[in-house]
Amino acid sequence: MEESICIVTDSNCDLPQSVIEQYQITVVPLIVRFGAAEYEDGMLSVEEFWDKAVQARPSTSQPSVGKFEEVFEHLVAQGKQVLCLTLTGKHSGTFNSAQLAAQRFGEAVVVFDTLSISLGTGLQALVAAQAAQAGRTLREILATLEGLRARVHVTILLDTLENLRRGGRADGFIAVIDHMTRALNVKPLVNLVDGQLRLLGMVRSFQGGLRRLAEVVERLAPLEHLDVMHTRIQQMAEEMADCLAERTGFPRERVWVRETGPVLACHAGPRVLGVVAVPRP
């Protein structure tokens, strides 16, 4: 029997395609730009994105209201109730676009701000889709998501602030630490607090940052979920996954190690490593 609740999310979610297909999650693409050239997220492979990023500075924008309306209309016409989960509304207009689009459909469409990014958003979309397939009601799914959202910890080590500075995605703390990072060549460790990027600390080297990141995650154990995301440093990410599995007791085979897509890569740049950790309730 077909599920009556359909889960929609945006392409920032970084979920594997196999998971998207298995749980019938509908993904609305954000827009990636290189100068005048514009692509829907997903049109370029990760390698193609980075090849183009060498030649032109990339940027992103949220899906249009019309794009969300098109997706919602298609699903509602099939008799579906739609639950749409977006990346944090504190750093993107995606949540607002989805909210505006949902107004056309009354109670048939509900939009939920995950207050997260990348696999932090993806995990919430996955849990919602699993609950929908299990026959949970919308109210039950939303209650589950609210509890999960409060426990999702996203911690990110950046090699540089340059991409965040250019994108204007973290003006609140960049003005304070920008001079320090450039003058002293230190690396910022950031996290998400209520959907807002916040400075967690500064480290003298990338390797020192990896050690600090592992300490931060270890303090959250025991864990219910653990993922590692990165840009262009697959081996380091695999080693971090090994380290965290050992230090937290979380099964290594359940740790996703994913290179992020263009949405996060545009604003974080190369040599970024992040961890999504969810403590047990």
Side-chain angles (χ1 to χ4, degrees):
M1 186 175 74
E2 283 195 323
E3 316 303 334
S4 61
I5 299 174
C6 184
I7 304 304
V8 174
T9 190
D10 58 69
S11 61
N12 137 88
C13 70
D14 285 332
L15 286 171
Q17 186 60 34
S18 59
V19 170
I20 290 169
E21 293 173 359
Q22 178 181 356
Y23 291 99
Q24 299 177 10
I25 299 169
T26 299
V27 178
V28 180
L30 276 79
I31 305 300
V32 181
R33 293 190 178 92
F34 295 90
E38 184 174 290
Y39 304 87
E40 285 192 346
D41 188 12
M43 292 176 65
L44 299 174
S45 68
V46 172
E47 295 299 331
E48 288 171 332
F49 166 81
W50 285 109
D51 286 345
K52 289 183 177 296
V54 172
Q55 305 165 34
R57 182 182 300 171
S59 63
T60 63
S61 63
Q62 70 266 21
S64 67
V65 174
K67 185 65 175 181
F68 275 113
E69 285 181 337
E70 178 185 324
V71 170
F72 295 161
E73 187 167 35
H74 174 72
L75 295 170
V76 171
Q78 298 176 38
K80 303 282 191 181
Q81 189 165 28
V82 176
L83 174 57
C84 177
L85 296 87
T86 73
L87 80 161
T88 173
K90 304 289 180 65
H91 288 289
S92 170
T94 303
F95 174 75
N96 287 337
S97 286
Q99 278 277 58
L100 288 170
Q103 291 177 5
R104 270 190 55 195
F105 304 96
E107 295 182 355
V109 178
V110 173
V111 181
F112 183 84
D113 187 343
T114 66
L115 297 178
S116 197
I117 58 174
S118 187
L119 289 173
T121 296
L123 169 62
Q124 294 179 61
L126 172 59
V127 167
Q130 290 171 331
Q133 285 198 1
R136 301 288 187 267
T137 66
L138 180 61
R139 179 176 294 181
E140 290 171 333
I141 296 172
L142 287 171
T144 297
L145 287 175
E146 286 168 1
L148 174 61
R149 178 174 64 183
R151 291 184 290 120
V152 174
H153 291 256
V154 179
T155 312
I156 304 171
L157 175 64
L158 301 167
D159 192 45
T160 174
L161 283 174
E162 184 62 29
N163 291 71
L164 275 178
R165 185 191 305 114
R166 288 198 308 240
R169 297 291 172 167
D171 292 336
F173 70 79
I174 280 183
V176 178
I177 65 172
D178 190 23
H179 176 72
M180 186 187 305
T181 58
R182 287 198 266 191
L184 301 179
N185 193 30
V186 290
K187 312 298 181 186
L189 194 65
V190 303
N191 63 354
L192 282 168
V193 179
D194 294 328
Q196 191 87 32
L197 282 171
R198 293 284 184 254
L199 178 67
L200 185 61
M202 308 288 281
V203 290
R204 298 289 296 179
S205 68
F206 201 81
Q207 285 297 327
L210 294 175
R211 290 191 292 272
R212 175 77 182 278
L213 178 54
E215 292 168 0
V216 169
V217 175
E218 185 178 14
R219 287 197 292 269
L220 297 172
L223 299 177
E224 179 181 288
H225 197 88
L226 179 64
D227 295 321
V228 178
M229 53 196 181
H230 71 95
T231 57
R232 306 281 82 186
I233 47 172
Q234 181 74 30
Q235 185 59 39
M236 281 187 182
E238 295 285 355
E239 291 169 0
M240 176 59 77
D242 294 342
C243 169
L244 291 177
E246 182 177 349
R247 292 177 68 159
T248 65
F250 191 84
R252 175 62 177 87
E253 65 274 11
R254 288 175 52 199
V255 183
W256 283 350
V257 179
R258 297 276 295 163
E259 177 153 16
T260 69
V263 176
L264 183 56
C266 278
H267 304 293
R271 283 180 58 82
V272 170
L273 193 143
V275 176
V276 177
V278 182
R280 291 179 190 167

